[in-house]
Coordinates of all heavy atoms in Angstrom, one line a residue:
M1 N -12.0 -13.0 8.6 CA -11.5 -11.7 8.9 C -12.4 -10.7 8.2 O -12.8 -10.8 7.1 CB -10.1 -11.6 8.4 CG -9.4 -10.3 8.8 SD -7.6 -10.4 8.3 CE -7.3 -8.7 8.2
E2 N -12.7 -9.6 9.0 CA -13.6 -8.6 8.5 C -12.8 -7.7 7.5 O -11.7 -7.4 7.6 CB -14.1 -7.7 9.6 CG -15.2 -6.7 9.2 CD -15.7 -6.0 10.4 OE1 -15.7 -6.5 11.6 OE2 -16.2 -4.8 10.2
E3 N -13.6 -7.3 6.4 CA -13.0 -6.5 5.4 C -12.7 -5.1 6.0 O -13.6 -4.6 6.7 CB -13.9 -6.4 4.2 CG -13.3 -5.7 3.0 CD -14.3 -5.7 1.8 OE1 -15.1 -6.6 1.7 OE2 -14.2 -4.7 1.0
R4 N -11.6 -4.6 5.7 CA -11.2 -3.2 6.2 C -12.1 -2.2 5.5 O -12.3 -2.2 4.3 CB -9.7 -3.0 5.9 CG -9.2 -1.8 6.6 CD -7.7 -1.8 6.4 NE -7.1 -0.8 7.3 CZ -5.9 -0.3 7.2 NH1 -5.1 -0.7 6.2 NH2 -5.4 0.6 8.0
K5 N -12.6 -1.2 6.3 CA -13.4 -0.1 5.7 C -12.6 1.1 5.6 O -11.7 1.4 6.4 CB -14.6 0.1 6.7 CG -15.6 -1.0 6.7 CD -16.8 -0.6 7.4 CE -17.9 -1.7 7.3 NZ -19.2 -1.3 7.6
F6 N -13.0 1.9 4.6 CA -12.3 3.1 4.3 C -13.3 4.2 4.1 O -14.4 4.0 3.6 CB -11.5 3.0 3.0 CG -10.3 2.1 3.1 CD1 -10.5 0.7 2.8 CD2 -9.1 2.5 3.5 CE1 -9.5 -0.2 2.9 CE2 -8.0 1.6 3.7 CZ -8.2 0.2 3.3
C7 N -13.0 5.5 4.4 CA -13.8 6.6 4.2 C -14.2 6.6 2.7 O -13.3 6.5 1.9 CB -13.1 7.9 4.6 SG -14.1 9.4 4.3
Q8 N -15.5 6.8 2.5 CA -16.0 6.8 1.1 C -15.9 8.2 0.5 O -16.5 8.5 -0.6 CB -17.5 6.3 1.1 CG -17.5 4.8 1.5 CD -16.8 4.0 0.5 OE1 -17.2 3.9 -0.7 NE2 -15.8 3.2 0.9
C9 N -15.1 9.1 1.1 CA -14.8 10.4 0.5 C -13.3 10.5 0.3 O -12.8 10.8 -0.8 CB -15.3 11.5 1.4 SG -14.9 13.1 0.9
C10 N -12.5 10.3 1.3 CA -11.0 10.5 1.2 C -10.2 9.2 1.3 O -9.0 9.3 1.2 CB -10.6 11.5 2.3 SG -10.5 10.7 4.0
A11 N -10.8 8.1 1.6 CA -10.2 6.8 1.6 C -9.3 6.5 2.9 O -8.6 5.6 3.0 CB -9.3 6.5 0.4
M12 N -9.5 7.4 3.9 CA -8.9 7.1 5.2 C -9.4 5.8 5.8 O -10.6 5.6 5.8 CB -9.2 8.3 6.2 CG -8.6 8.1 7.6 SD -8.9 9.5 8.6 CE -9.2 8.7 10.2
P13 N -8.5 5.0 6.4 CA -9.0 3.8 7.0 C -9.9 4.1 8.2 O -9.6 5.0 9.0 CB -7.7 3.1 7.5 CG -6.6 3.7 6.7 CD -7.1 5.1 6.4
L14 N -11.0 3.3 8.3 CA -11.9 3.5 9.5 C -11.7 2.4 10.4 O -12.6 1.6 10.7 CB -13.3 3.6 9.0 CG -13.7 4.7 8.0 CD1 -15.1 4.6 7.5 CD2 -13.4 6.1 8.7
D15 N -10.5 2.2 10.9 CA -10.1 1.1 11.8 C -10.6 1.2 13.2 O -10.9 0.2 13.9 CB -8.6 0.9 11.8 CG -8.0 0.6 10.5 OD1 -8.8 0.0 9.6 OD2 -6.8 0.8 10.2
K16 N -10.8 2.4 13.7 CA -11.2 2.7 15.1 C -12.4 3.5 15.1 O -12.6 4.3 14.3 CB -10.1 3.4 15.9 CG -8.8 2.6 16.0 CD -7.7 3.4 16.6 CE -7.1 4.3 15.6 NZ -5.9 5.0 15.8
P17 N -13.3 3.3 16.2 CA -14.5 4.1 16.2 C -14.2 5.6 16.2 O -15.0 6.4 15.6 CB -15.1 3.7 17.6 CG -14.6 2.3 17.8 CD -13.2 2.3 17.2
E18 N -13.2 6.0 16.8 CA -12.9 7.5 16.8 C -12.4 8.0 15.5 O -12.4 9.2 15.3 CB -11.8 7.8 17.9 CG -10.5 7.1 17.7 CD -10.4 5.8 18.5 OE1 -11.4 5.2 18.8 OE2 -9.2 5.4 18.8
D19 N -12.2 7.2 14.5 CA -11.9 7.6 13.1 C -13.1 8.0 12.4 O -13.1 8.7 11.3 CB -11.1 6.5 12.4 CG -9.8 6.2 12.9 OD1 -9.2 7.0 13.6 OD2 -9.3 5.0 12.7
K20 N -14.3 7.5 12.8 CA -15.5 7.7 12.1 C -16.2 9.0 12.3 O -16.1 9.6 13.4 CB -16.5 6.5 12.5 CG -16.0 5.2 12.1 CD -17.0 4.1 12.5 CE -16.5 2.7 12.0 NZ -17.5 1.7 12.3
G21 N -16.8 9.5 11.2 CA -17.6 10.7 11.4 C -18.9 10.4 12.1 O -19.1 9.3 12.5
T22 N -19.8 11.4 12.2 CA -21.1 11.2 12.9 C -22.2 11.6 12.0 O -22.2 12.5 11.2 CB -21.1 12.1 14.2 OG1 -20.8 13.5 13.8 CG2 -20.1 11.6 15.2
E23 N -23.3 10.9 12.3 CA -24.6 11.2 11.6 C -25.3 12.3 12.3 O -24.9 12.7 13.4 CB -25.5 9.9 11.5 CG -24.9 8.8 10.8 CD -24.7 9.1 9.3 OE1 -25.3 10.0 8.8 OE2 -24.0 8.3 8.6
A24 N -26.4 12.8 11.8 CA -27.1 13.9 12.4 C -27.5 13.6 13.9 O -27.5 14.5 14.7 CB -28.3 14.3 11.6
G25 N -27.9 12.4 14.1 CA -28.3 12.0 15.5 C -27.2 11.7 16.4 O -27.4 11.4 17.6
G26 N -25.9 11.8 15.9 CA -24.8 11.5 16.8 C -24.2 10.1 16.7 O -23.2 9.8 17.2
T27 N -24.9 9.2 15.9 CA -24.4 7.9 15.7 C -23.2 7.9 14.8 O -23.0 8.9 14.0 CB -25.4 6.9 15.2 OG1 -25.9 7.4 13.9 CG2 -26.6 6.7 16.1
L28 N -22.3 6.9 14.9 CA -21.1 6.9 14.1 C -21.5 6.5 12.6 O -22.3 5.7 12.4 CB -20.1 5.9 14.6 CG -19.5 6.2 16.0 CD1 -18.5 5.1 16.4 CD2 -18.8 7.6 16.0
S29 N -20.8 7.2 11.7 CA -21.0 6.9 10.3 C -20.3 5.6 9.9 O -19.1 5.5 10.4 CB -20.5 8.1 9.5 OG -20.5 7.7 8.1
E30 N -20.9 4.8 9.2 CA -20.2 3.6 8.7 C -19.5 3.9 7.4 O -18.7 3.0 6.9 CB -21.2 2.5 8.5 CG -21.8 2.0 9.8 CD -20.7 1.4 10.7 OE1 -19.9 0.6 10.3 OE2 -20.8 1.8 11.9
D31 N -19.7 5.1 6.8 CA -19.1 5.3 5.5 C -18.0 6.4 5.4 O -17.2 6.4 4.5 CB -20.2 5.8 4.5 CG -21.2 4.7 4.2 OD1 -20.8 3.5 4.1 OD2 -22.4 4.9 4.0
Y32 N -18.1 7.3 6.4 CA -17.2 8.5 6.3 C -16.4 8.8 7.6 O -16.8 8.5 8.7 CB -18.0 9.8 5.9 CG -18.8 9.6 4.7 CD1 -20.1 9.4 4.6 CD2 -18.1 9.7 3.4 CE1 -20.8 9.3 3.5 CE2 -18.8 9.5 2.2 CZ -20.1 9.3 2.3 OH -20.8 9.2 1.1
C33 N -15.2 9.4 7.4 CA -14.3 9.7 8.5 C -14.7 11.0 9.2 O -15.5 11.8 8.7 CB -12.9 9.7 8.1 SG -12.4 11.2 7.2
R34 N -14.1 11.2 10.4 CA -14.4 12.3 11.2 C -13.9 13.6 10.5 O -14.4 14.7 10.9 CB -13.8 12.2 12.6 CG -12.3 12.1 12.6 CD -11.8 11.7 14.0 NE -10.3 11.5 13.9 CZ -9.5 12.2 14.7 NH1 -9.9 13.1 15.5 NH2 -8.2 11.9 14.6
Y35 N -13.0 13.6 9.6 CA -12.5 14.8 8.9 C -13.4 15.2 7.8 O -13.6 16.4 7.5 CB -11.1 14.5 8.4 CG -10.1 14.2 9.5 CD1 -9.6 12.9 9.6 CD2 -9.7 15.1 10.4 CE1 -8.7 12.6 10.6 CE2 -8.8 14.8 11.4 CZ -8.3 13.5 11.5 OH -7.4 13.2 12.5
C36 N -14.1 14.2 7.2 CA -14.9 14.5 6.0 C -16.4 14.7 6.4 O -17.1 15.3 5.6 CB -14.8 13.4 5.0 SG -13.2 13.2 4.2
Y37 N -16.8 14.1 7.5 CA -18.3 14.1 7.8 C -18.6 14.2 9.2 O -18.1 13.5 10.1 CB -18.8 12.7 7.3 CG -20.2 12.5 7.1 CD1 -20.9 13.1 6.0 CD2 -21.0 11.8 8.0 CE1 -22.2 12.9 5.8 CE2 -22.3 11.5 7.7 CZ -22.9 12.1 6.6 OH -24.3 11.9 6.4
Q38 N -19.4 15.3 9.6 CA -19.8 15.5 11.0 C -21.2 16.0 11.0 O -21.6 16.7 10.2 CB -18.9 16.6 11.6 CG -17.4 16.2 11.7 CD -16.5 17.3 12.2 OE1 -17.0 18.4 12.6 NE2 -15.2 17.0 12.3
N39 N -21.9 15.4 12.0 CA -23.3 15.8 12.2 C -24.2 15.6 11.0 O -25.1 16.4 10.6 CB -23.4 17.3 12.7 CG -22.7 17.5 14.0 OD1 -22.9 16.7 14.9 ND2 -21.9 18.5 14.1
G40 N -23.9 14.5 10.2 CA -24.7 14.2 9.1 C -24.4 15.0 7.8 O -25.2 14.9 6.9
A41 N -23.3 15.7 7.8 CA -23.0 16.5 6.6 C -21.5 16.5 6.3 O -20.7 16.3 7.2 CB -23.5 18.0 6.8
F42 N -21.2 16.7 5.0 CA -19.8 16.8 4.7 C -19.2 18.1 5.2 O -19.8 19.1 5.2 CB -19.6 16.8 3.2 CG -19.9 15.4 2.6 CD1 -21.0 15.2 1.8 CD2 -19.0 14.3 2.8 CE1 -21.3 13.9 1.3 CE2 -19.3 13.1 2.3 CZ -20.4 12.9 1.5
T43 N -18.0 18.0 5.7 CA -17.3 19.2 6.3 C -16.8 20.1 5.2 O -16.7 21.3 5.4 CB -16.1 18.8 7.1 OG1 -15.2 18.0 6.3 CG2 -16.5 18.0 8.4
A44 N -16.7 19.6 4.0 CA -16.3 20.4 2.8 C -17.3 20.1 1.7 O -16.9 19.3 0.8 CB -14.9 20.2 2.4
P45 N -18.5 20.6 1.8 CA -19.5 20.1 0.8 C -19.2 20.5 -0.6 O -19.7 19.8 -1.5 CB -20.8 20.8 1.3 CG -20.3 22.0 2.2 CD -19.0 21.5 2.8
D46 N -18.4 21.5 -0.8 CA -18.1 22.0 -2.2 C -16.8 21.4 -2.8 O -16.5 21.6 -3.9 CB -18.1 23.5 -2.3 CG -19.4 24.1 -1.9 OD1 -20.4 23.6 -2.2 OD2 -19.4 25.2 -1.3
A47 N -16.2 20.5 -2.0 CA -14.9 19.9 -2.4 C -15.2 19.0 -3.6 O -16.2 18.3 -3.6 CB -14.3 19.2 -1.3
T48 N -14.3 19.0 -4.5 CA -14.3 18.0 -5.6 C -13.4 16.8 -5.3 O -12.6 16.9 -4.4 CB -13.9 18.7 -6.9 OG1 -12.5 19.0 -6.8 CG2 -14.7 20.0 -7.2
M49 N -13.5 15.8 -6.1 CA -12.6 14.7 -6.0 C -11.2 15.1 -6.2 O -10.3 14.7 -5.4 CB -13.0 13.6 -7.0 CG -12.1 12.3 -6.8 SD -12.6 11.0 -7.9 CE -12.1 11.6 -9.5
D50 N -10.9 16.0 -7.1 CA -9.6 16.5 -7.3 C -9.1 17.3 -6.1 O -7.9 17.2 -5.8 CB -9.5 17.5 -8.6 CG -9.6 16.7 -9.9 OD1 -9.3 15.5 -9.9 OD2 -10.0 17.3 -10.9
D51 N -10.0 18.0 -5.4 CA -9.6 18.7 -4.2 C -9.1 17.7 -3.1 O -8.1 17.9 -2.4 CB -10.7 19.5 -3.6 CG -11.1 20.7 -4.5 OD1 -10.3 21.2 -5.3 OD2 -12.3 21.1 -4.4
I52 N -9.9 16.6 -3.0 CA -9.5 15.7 -1.9 C -8.2 14.9 -2.3 O -7.4 14.7 -1.4 CB -10.7 14.7 -1.7 CG1 -12.0 15.4 -1.3 CG2 -10.3 13.6 -0.7 CD1 -11.9 16.2 0.0
I53 N -8.0 14.6 -3.6 CA -6.8 14.0 -4.0 C -5.6 14.9 -3.7 O -4.6 14.5 -3.2 CB -6.9 13.5 -5.5 CG1 -7.8 12.3 -5.6 CG2 -5.5 13.2 -6.0 CD1 -8.1 11.9 -7.0
A54 N -5.8 16.2 -4.1 CA -4.7 17.2 -3.8 C -4.4 17.2 -2.3 O -3.2 17.3 -1.9 CB -5.1 18.5 -4.4
F55 N -5.4 17.2 -1.5 CA -5.2 17.3 0.0 C -4.4 16.0 0.4 O -3.5 16.1 1.2 CB -6.5 17.3 0.7 CG -6.4 17.4 2.2 CD1 -6.2 18.6 2.8 CD2 -6.5 16.2 2.9 CE1 -6.0 18.6 4.2 CE2 -6.3 16.2 4.3 CZ -6.1 17.4 4.9
N56 N -4.8 14.8 -0.1 CA -4.1 13.6 0.3 C -2.7 13.6 -0.2 O -1.8 13.1 0.5 CB -4.9 12.4 -0.3 CG -6.1 12.0 0.6 OD1 -6.4 12.7 1.5 ND2 -6.7 10.9 0.2
L57 N -2.4 14.1 -1.4 CA -1.1 14.2 -1.9 C -0.2 15.1 -1.1 O 1.0 14.8 -0.8 CB -1.1 14.6 -3.4 CG -1.6 13.5 -4.3 CD1 -1.8 14.1 -5.7 CD2 -0.7 12.3 -4.3
K58 N -0.8 16.2 -0.6 CA -0.1 17.1 0.3 C 0.3 16.4 1.6 O 1.4 16.4 2.1 CB -0.9 18.4 0.6 CG -0.2 19.4 1.4 CD -1.1 20.7 1.5 CE -0.5 21.8 2.2 NZ -0.6 21.8 3.6
F59 N -0.7 15.7 2.2 CA -0.5 14.9 3.4 C 0.6 13.9 3.1 O 1.5 13.7 3.9 CB -1.8 14.1 3.8 CG -1.6 13.2 4.9 CD1 -1.8 13.6 6.2 CD2 -1.2 11.9 4.7 CE1 -1.6 12.7 7.3 CE2 -1.1 11.0 5.7 CZ -1.3 11.4 7.0
N60 N 0.6 13.2 2.0 CA 1.6 12.2 1.6 C 3.0 12.8 1.6 O 3.9 12.3 2.2 CB 1.3 11.6 0.2 CG 2.1 10.4 -0.1 OD1 2.2 9.5 0.7 ND2 2.6 10.3 -1.3
A61 N 3.1 14.0 1.0 CA 4.4 14.6 0.9 C 4.9 15.1 2.3 O 6.1 15.0 2.6 CB 4.4 15.8 -0.1
E62 N 4.0 15.6 3.1 CA 4.4 16.1 4.4 C 4.7 15.0 5.5 O 5.2 15.3 6.5 CB 3.3 17.1 4.9 CG 3.3 18.3 4.1 CD 2.1 19.2 4.4 OE1 1.2 18.8 5.3 OE2 2.0 20.4 3.9
N63 N 4.3 13.8 5.2 CA 4.4 12.7 6.2 C 5.2 11.6 5.7 O 5.0 10.4 6.2 CB 3.0 12.3 6.6 CG 2.2 13.3 7.3 OD1 2.4 13.5 8.5 ND2 1.4 14.1 6.7
G64 N 6.2 11.8 4.9 CA 7.2 10.8 4.5 C 6.7 9.8 3.5 O 7.2 8.7 3.4
H65 N 5.7 10.2 2.7 CA 5.2 9.3 1.6 C 4.6 8.0 2.1 O 5.0 6.9 1.5 CB 6.2 9.2 0.5 CG 6.6 10.5 -0.1 ND1 7.7 11.2 0.3 CD2 6.0 11.2 -1.1 CE1 7.8 12.3 -0.4 NE2 6.8 12.4 -1.2
P66 N 3.7 8.0 3.0 CA 3.1 6.7 3.4 C 2.3 6.0 2.3 O 2.1 4.8 2.3 CB 2.1 7.1 4.6 CG 1.8 8.5 4.4 CD 3.1 9.1 3.7
F67 N 1.9 6.8 1.3 CA 1.2 6.2 0.1 C 2.1 5.9 -1.0 O 1.7 5.6 -2.1 CB 0.1 7.1 -0.3 CG -0.8 7.6 0.7 CD1 -1.1 9.0 0.8 CD2 -1.4 6.7 1.6 CE1 -2.0 9.4 1.8 CE2 -2.3 7.2 2.6 CZ -2.5 8.6 2.7
G68 N 3.4 6.0 -0.8 CA 4.4 5.8 -1.9 C 4.8 7.1 -2.5 O 4.3 8.2 -2.2
P69 N 5.6 7.0 -3.6 CA 6.0 8.2 -4.3 C 4.8 9.0 -4.8 O 3.8 8.3 -5.2 CB 6.9 7.7 -5.4 CG 7.4 6.3 -5.0 CD 6.3 5.8 -4.1
Q70 N 4.9 10.3 -4.9 CA 3.8 11.1 -5.3 C 3.1 10.6 -6.6 O 1.9 10.5 -6.7 CB 4.2 12.6 -5.5 CG 4.5 13.3 -4.2 CD 3.3 13.4 -3.2 OE1 3.0 12.5 -2.5 NE2 2.7 14.6 -3.3
E71 N 3.9 10.3 -7.6 CA 3.3 9.9 -8.9 C 2.5 8.6 -8.8 O 1.4 8.5 -9.3 CB 4.4 9.8 -10.0 CG 3.9 9.6 -11.4 CD 5.0 9.6 -12.4 OE1 5.7 10.7 -12.5 OE2 5.3 8.6 -13.0
E72 N 3.0 7.7 -8.1 CA 2.3 6.4 -7.9 C 1.1 6.6 -7.0 O 0.0 6.0 -7.2 CB 3.3 5.4 -7.2 CG 4.3 4.9 -8.1 CD 5.3 3.9 -7.5 OE1 4.9 3.3 -6.5 OE2 6.5 3.8 -7.9
A73 N 1.2 7.4 -5.9 CA 0.1 7.7 -5.0 C -1.0 8.3 -5.8 O -2.2 8.0 -5.7 CB 0.6 8.6 -3.9
E74 N -0.7 9.3 -6.7 CA -1.8 10.0 -7.4 C -2.4 9.0 -8.4 O -3.7 9.0 -8.5 CB -1.2 11.2 -8.2 CG -2.3 11.9 -8.9 CD -1.8 13.2 -9.6 OE1 -0.7 13.6 -9.5 OE2 -2.7 13.9 -10.2
K75 N -1.6 8.2 -9.0 CA -2.2 7.2 -10.0 C -3.2 6.3 -9.2 O -4.3 6.0 -9.7 CB -1.1 6.4 -10.6 CG -1.6 5.4 -11.7 CD -0.4 4.7 -12.4 CE -0.9 3.7 -13.4 NZ 0.1 3.0 -14.0
M76 N -2.8 5.8 -8.0 CA -3.6 4.9 -7.2 C -4.9 5.6 -6.9 O -6.0 5.0 -7.0 CB -2.8 4.5 -6.0 CG -3.6 3.5 -5.1 SD -4.6 4.4 -3.8 CE -3.3 5.3 -2.8
M77 N -4.8 6.8 -6.4 CA -6.0 7.6 -6.0 C -6.9 7.8 -7.1 O -8.1 7.7 -7.0 CB -5.6 8.9 -5.3 CG -4.9 8.8 -4.0 SD -4.4 10.4 -3.3 CE -3.0 9.9 -2.3
R78 N -6.4 8.2 -8.3 CA -7.2 8.5 -9.4 C -8.0 7.2 -9.9 O -9.0 7.3 -10.5 CB -6.4 9.1 -10.5 CG -6.0 10.5 -10.1 CD -5.8 11.5 -11.3 NE -5.4 12.8 -10.7 CZ -6.3 13.7 -10.3 NH1 -7.6 13.5 -10.4 NH2 -5.9 14.9 -9.9
G79 N -7.4 6.1 -9.7 CA -8.0 4.8 -10.0 C -9.1 4.4 -9.0 O -10.1 3.8 -9.3
W80 N -8.8 4.7 -7.7 CA -9.7 4.2 -6.6 C -10.8 5.2 -6.3 O -11.9 4.8 -6.0 CB -8.8 4.0 -5.4 CG -9.4 3.4 -4.2 CD1 -10.6 2.7 -4.1 CD2 -9.0 3.3 -2.8 NE1 -10.9 2.3 -2.9 CE2 -9.9 2.6 -2.0 CE3 -7.8 3.8 -2.2 CZ2 -9.7 2.4 -0.7 CZ3 -7.6 3.6 -0.9 CH2 -8.6 2.9 -0.1
F81 N -10.5 6.5 -6.2 CA -11.5 7.4 -5.7 C -12.8 7.4 -6.5 O -13.9 7.6 -5.9 CB -10.9 8.8 -5.7 CG -10.1 9.1 -4.5 CD1 -9.2 8.1 -4.0 CD2 -10.2 10.2 -3.7 CE1 -8.4 8.4 -2.8 CE2 -9.5 10.5 -2.6 CZ -8.6 9.5 -2.1
P82 N -12.8 7.2 -7.8 CA -14.1 7.2 -8.5 C -15.0 6.0 -8.1 O -16.2 6.1 -8.4 CB -13.7 7.1 -10.0 CG -12.3 7.6 -10.1 CD -11.7 7.3 -8.8
T83 N -14.5 5.0 -7.4 CA -15.3 3.9 -6.9 C -15.8 4.2 -5.5 O -16.7 3.5 -5.0 CB -14.4 2.6 -6.8 OG1 -13.5 2.7 -5.8 CG2 -13.7 2.3 -8.1
L84 N -15.4 5.3 -4.8 CA -15.9 5.6 -3.5 C -17.3 6.2 -3.6 O -17.6 6.9 -4.6 CB -14.9 6.6 -2.8 CG -13.5 6.1 -2.6 CD1 -12.6 7.2 -2.0 CD2 -13.5 4.8 -1.7
K85 N -18.1 6.0 -2.6 CA -19.5 6.4 -2.6 C -19.7 7.8 -3.0 O -20.6 8.2 -3.8 CB -20.1 6.1 -1.3 CG -21.6 6.2 -1.2 CD -22.2 6.0 0.2 CE -22.4 4.5 0.4 NZ -23.1 4.2 1.6
R86 N -18.9 8.8 -2.4 CA -19.1 10.2 -2.6 C -18.9 10.6 -4.1 O -19.5 11.5 -4.6 CB -18.3 11.0 -1.7 CG -18.6 12.5 -1.9 CD -18.0 13.4 -0.9 NE -18.3 14.8 -1.1 CZ -17.9 15.8 -0.5 NH1 -17.0 15.7 0.4 NH2 -18.2 17.1 -0.8
W87 N -18.0 9.9 -4.8 CA -17.5 10.3 -6.1 C -18.1 9.4 -7.2 O -17.9 9.7 -8.4 CB -16.0 10.3 -6.2 CG -15.4 11.0 -5.0 CD1 -14.6 10.5 -4.0 CD2 -15.6 12.4 -4.6 NE1 -14.3 11.4 -3.1 CE2 -14.9 12.6 -3.5 CE3 -16.3 13.4 -5.2 CZ2 -14.9 13.9 -2.8 CZ3 -16.3 14.7 -4.6 CH2 -15.6 14.9 -3.4
R88 N -18.8 8.3 -6.9 CA -19.4 7.5 -7.9 C -20.4 8.2 -8.7 O -21.2 9.0 -8.2 CB -20.1 6.3 -7.3 CG -19.3 5.1 -7.2 CD -20.1 3.9 -6.7 NE -19.5 3.4 -5.5 CZ -20.1 2.9 -4.5 NH1 -21.4 2.9 -4.4 NH2 -19.4 2.6 -3.4
K89 N -20.3 8.0 -10.0 CA -21.3 8.6 -10.9 C -22.5 7.7 -11.1 O -22.4 6.5 -11.2 CB -20.7 8.8 -12.3 CG -19.4 9.7 -12.3 CD -19.7 11.1 -12.0 CE -18.5 12.0 -12.2 NZ -18.3 13.0 -11.2
G90 N -23.7 8.4 -11.0 CA -24.9 7.7 -11.2 C -25.3 7.0 -10.0 O -26.1 6.2 -9.7

């Protein structure tokens, strides 16, 4: 079974081709979703990891908590996001 891929910025699952962002030449990105990355660039280049976590927590609250209770969701994101390509240090 193939390992599930997630956006390396916001952690959205990249399960379908239409979920993926695009590179400058129009090919699909293997690393980023369509919301975070288009035409080879981040859609919010100045966003911080905290900004993306806050956005995801807002989505979580507005959509019936698919990531679990807010406190647990935030704890999970703060543990996972620093491992994503966009937020890795060094």
Side-chain angles (χ1 to χ4, degrees):
M1 186 172 157
E2 190 174 332
E3 186 176 332
R4 194 171 190 198
K5 291 189 174 197
F6 296 89
C7 177
Q8 294 296 298
C9 176
C10 74
M12 176 178 143
L14 299 176
D15 295 335
K16 298 175 275 190
E18 58 267 25
D19 294 336
K20 295 179 178 184
T22 54
E23 298 296 345
T27 59
L28 294 179
S29 172
E30 291 302 314
D31 292 325
Y32 301 106
C33 77
R34 63 191 175 120
Y35 301 108
C36 291
Y37 197 74
Q38 294 175 4
N39 300 313
F42 289 109
T43 57
D46 298 328
T48 65
M49 184 175 71
D50 286 338
D51 293 336
I52 301 298
I53 288 173
F55 180 84
N56 280 5
L57 289 171
K58 183 174 186 271
F59 175 91
N60 192 49
E62 292 173 351
N63 290 279
H65 297 95
F67 309 131
Q70 290 294 85
E71 191 173 293
E72 290 176 25
E74 182 172 1
K75 184 177 178 182
M76 179 271 298
M77 289 178 208
R78 293 208 176 274
W80 187 16
F81 278 44
T83 71
L84 299 176
K85 189 181 278 188
R86 184 171 182 188
W87 311 117
R88 262 186 241 145
K89 301 290 186 219

